[in-house]
């Protein structure tokens, strides 16, 4: 069964790949998403939107994450954690997902794909990011 959580997992895979192998054609990533969503057009569009948006805003997102990842540079983070943070930050800053939902989804990804400290780390960084937003933005979460 495909869900938005599954869509985020697929996007995480594509973000991970883009991070370690930036030469992949964007069309092949979008085709991969479509296949993984097994014909669920709305979920494929949601996932494609997350991927495009996260990649498009990656520089801005990385600047924000660097501000709130105390004592951690992005280059020192585990690739999985870094990309979970990017996805969560995109959803908070640009994607329109309520902040708490974005954090909960990111923490669930970190529990599943990160190490034993990833969930706590992701939660802390994204919580700081969410609380740094103007009041109108926080109201969404």
């Amino acid at each position: 069964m495909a869900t938005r959580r599954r869509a985020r997992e697929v996007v995480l895979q594509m973000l991970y790949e883009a991070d370690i192998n930036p030469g992949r054609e964007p069309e092949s990533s979008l085709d991969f998403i479509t296949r993984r969503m097994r014909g669920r057009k709305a979920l494929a569009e949601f996932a494609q939107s997350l991927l495009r948006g996260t990649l498009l805003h990656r520089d801005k997102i990385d600047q924000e994450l660097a501000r709130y990842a105390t004592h951690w540079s992005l280059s020192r983070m585990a690739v999985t954690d870094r990309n979970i943070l990017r996805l969560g930050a995109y959803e908070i800053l640009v994607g329109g997902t309520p902040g708490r939902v974005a954090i909960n989804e990111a923490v669930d990804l970190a529990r599943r794909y990160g190490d034993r400290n990833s969930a706590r780390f992701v939660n802390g960084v994204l919580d700081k990011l969410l609380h740094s937003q103007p009041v109108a933005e926080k109201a969404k979460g």
Side-chain angles (χ1 to χ4, degrees):
M1 181 168 115
T3 64
R4 283 184 168 232
R5 179 161 295 159
R6 179 67 184 132
R8 287 180 178 96
E9 290 175 350
V10 172
V11 171
L12 176 61
Q13 292 172 5
M14 295 293 88
L15 291 173
Y16 184 100
E17 182 179 30
D19 202 0
I20 62 171
N21 183 19
R24 184 174 182 159
E25 293 294 320
E27 295 80 26
S28 64
S29 296
L30 300 178
D31 290 343
F32 178 81
I33 288 172
T34 300
R35 285 193 312 274
R36 296 304 298 249
M37 293 295 98
R38 298 181 181 172
R40 304 276 307 265
K41 186 176 180 181
L43 285 175
E45 289 172 358
F46 172 71
Q48 290 170 355
S49 172
L50 289 179
L51 179 62
R52 277 192 206 104
T54 304
L55 292 174
L56 179 67
H57 296 282
R58 185 165 57 186
D59 291 340
K60 177 187 175 200
I61 290 167
D62 285 357
Q63 288 173 359
E64 290 297 310
L65 291 174
R67 290 177 53 197
Y68 300 107
T70 311
H71 307 296
W72 281 92
S73 66
L74 266 67
S75 63
R76 285 187 53 221
M77 290 178 195
V79 177
T80 303
D81 292 353
R82 178 172 55 238
N83 286 291
I84 291 170
L85 285 168
R86 285 175 173 155
L87 178 57
Y90 169 75
E91 289 197 75
I92 291 169
L93 296 171
V94 183
T97 303
R100 285 278 133 228
V101 172
I103 292 172
N104 288 339
E105 291 295 326
V107 168
D108 284 344
L109 287 171
R111 280 192 190 109
R112 183 160 184 180
Y113 296 103
D115 69 20
R116 63 184 176 93
N117 296 315
S118 294
R120 189 172 65 221
F121 177 65
V122 165
N123 184 61
V125 173
L126 292 179
D127 189 61
K128 288 178 189 177
L129 176 68
L130 176 63
H131 284 89
S132 74
Q133 299 306 297
V135 175
E137 292 295 310
K138 286 188 216 177
K140 290 194 288 187

